[in-house]
Amino acid sequence: MYRMEIETINTLVSGEMYYADLRTKLLLNQNKPAIININIGTTFKGAIDDIDSIVQALEYCGYSNDKYYIHCDAALYGLIVSFIKHKPIGSISVSGHKFLGCPIPFGIQMTRKSNVNSLSNIEYIASADMTISGSRNGLAPIFLWYSLSMKGYVGLWQDSKMCIENSQYLKDQLLKEGISVMLNEFSTTVVFERPCDHKFISHWKLCYLSGIAHIVVMSGITREIIDSFLKDLMQERKK
Ligand SMILES: Cc1ncc(COP(=O)(O)O)c(C=O)c1O
């Protein structure tokens, strides 16, 4: 959208950023400032990038504070991993329809006040325009407010804890059955060997990428659902 040059950084098998590759690409572009997009939960493997390692790479490559900007894409885990205190990030975005389960797709972007102040004040709405298109959905913030108010801090913490415990349970059960499985730290995305049967994949609406599939354990994924899935999976594997 901004017609900017882009460098794609390689990742480790876990899905996390490969910091050595970040260094290489930073060194290749040393004459330009960098906008770094960090993932707090990659789409397929639920990997979480380490902000400290990224800042270290920037410092190592000679990037001073005013030469970089960090945005955290926390679409999925923004409400699970709330750890970004005192980190030199510029902004973070979180989806409202993922972990919170709001009924329409939307996201919230939070940034430093210093960035917002530079936006123009629009006289006829008596407010600063913070949108790309100049237009906004008024209902989405109400869903977000309602959802956060109903759950509260404790409710969100309980949901996060339950999702993390249930994903660990799913991982352990898969391992017990001798199925290869991966679960990143603080993640609720369980990655495992892709089942062979297409009917099974379609029945459970499994997402897959060549040989691997994943289950994102959200608060609606109860132990009962996990057990029922496991039972079905074992039957499919026997076949
Ligand atoms: C890491 C990541 N970023 C962004 C998105 C898109 O978020 P949204 O649906 O709020 O546009 C996704 C969706 O799956 C995602 O996994």
Side-chain angles (χ1 to χ4, degrees), residues 39 41-43 73 75-76 95 97-98 106-107:
N39 262 283
T42 57
T43 304
D73 176 353
L76 183 56
S95 302
H97 53 288
K98 294 197 172 81
F106 68 89

Side-chain angles (χ1 to χ4, degrees), residues 1-236:
M1 198 158 58
Y2 292 106
R3 305 276 192 270
M4 287 174 177
E5 286 172 45
I6 184 166
E7 285 279 10
T8 305
I9 312 298
N10 293 333
T11 53
L12 302 169
V13 177
S14 63
E16 187 175 342
M17 190 185 287
Y18 182 33
Y19 307 110
D21 188 49
L22 173 66
R23 277 190 193 193
T24 309
K25 305 255 164 78
L26 284 172
L27 290 174
L28 284 174
N29 292 281
Q30 248 175 341
N31 55 336
K32 301 169 206 152
I35 298 174
I36 315 252
N37 185 75
I38 291 185
N39 262 283
I40 312 292
T42 57
T43 304
F44 206 85
K45 294 180 175 173
I48 297 168
D49 294 329
D50 179 37
I51 299 179
D52 292 332
S53 302
I54 288 159
V55 172
Q56 268 169 26
L58 283 158
E59 282 168 0
Y60 175 86
C61 299
Y63 280 75
S64 51
N65 275 355
D66 59 333
K67 286 282 180 288
Y68 69 82
Y69 179 94
I70 296 178
H71 171 71
C72 299
D73 176 353
L76 183 56
Y77 293 155
L79 291 158
I80 300 184
V81 187
S82 32
F83 62 92
I84 47 166
K85 265 188 198 161
H86 312 305
K87 304 278 181 198
I89 65 162
S91 50
I92 181 166
S93 53
V94 184
S95 302
H97 53 288
K98 294 197 172 81
F99 190 68
L100 284 176
C102 293
I104 51 169
F106 68 89
I108 180 164
Q109 156 123 338
M110 279 180 286
T111 186
R112 304 266 171 208
K113 253 197 178 143
S114 53
N115 297 335
V116 176
N117 289 343
S118 64
L119 293 170
S120 53
N121 203 56
I122 311 296
E123 202 179 351
Y124 78 93
I125 55 170
S127 170
D129 185 15
M130 282 169 261
T131 66
I132 292 164
S133 59
S135 192
R136 75 199 71 180
N137 179 339
L139 187 58
I142 295 178
F143 279 130
L144 182 65
W145 169 81
Y146 181 77
S147 185
L148 292 175
S149 314
M150 290 303 281
K151 283 186 190 291
Y153 186 86
V154 174
L156 283 171
W157 180 78
Q158 281 168 343
D159 275 3
S160 308
K161 192 167 164 285
M162 182 179 71
C163 293
I164 287 177
E165 284 169 3
N166 282 347
S167 37
Q168 193 62 48
Y169 171 76
L170 173 59
K171 178 194 164 186
D172 292 345
Q173 297 303 310
L174 288 167
L175 268 183
K176 247 191 220 165
E177 298 296 342
I179 298 170
S180 307
V181 58
M182 184 192 82
L183 176 61
N184 277 304
E185 203 182 5
F186 304 120
S187 169
T188 66
T189 301
V190 181
V191 183
F192 58 102
E193 285 173 41
R194 175 191 157 183
C196 302
D197 184 7
H198 277 282
K199 263 198 202 145
F200 178 88
I201 290 179
S202 151
H203 173 75
W204 286 97
K205 307 278 179 286
L206 286 183
C207 274
Y208 62 88
L209 267 181
S210 59
I212 55 175
H214 78 188
I215 293 178
V216 183
V217 181
M218 297 277 96
S219 49
I221 310 293
T222 59
R223 289 270 167 127
E224 290 70 39
I225 295 176
I226 295 175
D227 286 339
S228 159
F229 168 78
L230 288 164
K231 198 170 145 211
D232 225 14
L233 179 65
M234 289 318 126
Q235 273 168 7
E236 189 263 342

